[in-house]
Amino acid sequence: MNIILLGPPGAGKGTQARHLVDTRDMVQLSTGDMLREAKDSGTEMGKMVADVMARGDLVTDEIVIGLIREKLEDQTDHGGFIFDGFPRTLAQATALDELLKAAGKPLDHVIELGVNDEALVARIAGRSTCGNCGEVYHDVTKPQPADGKCVKCGSTDFKRRADDNEESLRNRLMEYYKKTSPLLGYYYAHELLRRVDGLAEIDDVQGDIAAILNDPA
Ligand code: AMP
């Protein structure tokens, strides 16, 4: 089963993807994580994208398609791919169609996590993650444990994303509406689009996504 999680920044794509990795042995392909890794390890590409990401602009299609192409060559046995934060433009969507076709892998569902803008600002403003395992925390809804240790792996290294500030978020949202939201129509026309309420409790969103994945139709 190969799926895309689609939605604006802060909609909960990463959180839901991580749950699917844990429960269904799926592989999360987050272009945002790949780009942050490149930036942190100081590669040439990482240096090139750092400013673009800090502003909340989109990195070029060529770069992110190249990252995904490499990952799709992974032939190990697993429960399928979760595309998280990719595709973000129509050019990326058509490139993904081609890559999947060439790899003989179907795209089973595109799941839109529906949210509203005010909720996104609040979610993103308090967000942090475990630097070791990626567990997501929020200052209000899921504070970091009082003992300073990640609930999942015990690490004491927590991170906040440099682009999780209001100015960058405003730009990321604008990019989403201009360049990514047309993908909703694209996948609707391909009869792949399903929608869940991204503002529901995390467990309920997980349940709604599971119902889609378990639906043989
Ligand atoms: P994310 O972690 O998905 O919110 O991505 C963080 C940043 O990485 C975005 O604001 C973009 O600058 C860049 N990025 C991630 N995925 C893509 C993509 N598919 N296309 C273009 N830029 C991307």
Side-chain angles (χ1 to χ4, degrees):
M1 171 96 37
N2 301 300
I3 65 167
I4 295 174
L5 295 180
L6 200 58
K13 302 185 295 291
T15 300
Q16 294 300 329
R18 290 172 46 72
H19 179 70
L20 294 171
V21 169
D22 290 344
T23 55
R24 292 182 182 249
D25 193 28
M26 295 178 80
V27 173
Q28 176 186 11
L29 296 185
S30 158
T31 39
D33 285 350
M34 295 174 207
L35 292 165
R36 275 185 290 280
E37 258 170 52
K39 200 171 58 122
D40 292 348
S41 53
T43 64
E44 277 312 304
M45 188 268 277
K47 285 181 204 152
M48 252 164 62
V49 298
D51 288 346
V52 177
M53 290 176 75
R55 281 197 304 272
D57 289 340
L58 291 190
V59 169
T60 63
D61 289 334
E62 200 188 346
I63 289 179
V64 288
I65 291 167
L67 289 171
I68 290 290
R69 182 182 291 119
E70 272 174 39
K71 301 284 176 179
L72 285 181
E73 282 161 12
D74 165 17
Q75 293 297 333
T76 40
D77 221 15
H78 53 71
F81 291 112
I82 310 154
F83 297 96
D84 160 13
F86 180 92
R88 264 174 153 99
T89 63
L90 280 169
Q92 292 177 24
T94 51
L96 180 62
D97 288 346
E98 291 299 319
L99 289 171
L100 286 172
K101 200 166 144 198
K105 298 181 200 291
L107 181 57
D108 297 281
H109 299 289
V110 176
I111 302 175
E112 179 196 3
L113 296 169
V115 284
N116 67 45
D117 291 1
E118 282 104 296
L120 294 178
V121 176
R123 273 190 183 185
I124 283 196
R127 183 160 78 167
S128 62
T129 55
C130 169
N132 179 48
C133 75
E135 184 72 2
V136 182
Y137 295 90
H138 189 279
D139 295 346
V140 178
T141 55
K142 187 181 168 190
Q144 292 171 10
D147 66 1
K149 292 185 184 158
C150 172
V151 286
K152 200 158 178 200
C153 73
S155 165
T156 52
D157 171 30
F158 294 95
K159 285 184 176 166
R160 284 185 198 268
R161 280 174 49 165
D163 60 350
D164 275 353
N165 60 72
E166 209 171 323
E167 194 186 335
S168 170
L169 173 62
R170 218 174 298 125
N171 200 26
R172 283 152 70 200
L173 271 178
M174 197 53 82
E175 290 284 78
Y176 177 80
Y177 290 119
K178 281 197 294 204
K179 298 175 184 164
T180 308
S181 64
L183 299 186
L184 296 172
Y186 179 83
Y187 288 119
Y188 176 78
H190 283 77
E191 299 184 355
L192 289 169
L193 188 68
R194 308 288 295 265
R195 188 172 200 272
V196 300
D197 176 8
L199 287 181
E201 293 297 321
I202 290 181
D203 293 357
D204 294 332
V205 183
Q206 284 170 358
D208 290 346
I209 293 176
I212 293 172
L213 301 192
N214 294 337
D215 176 5

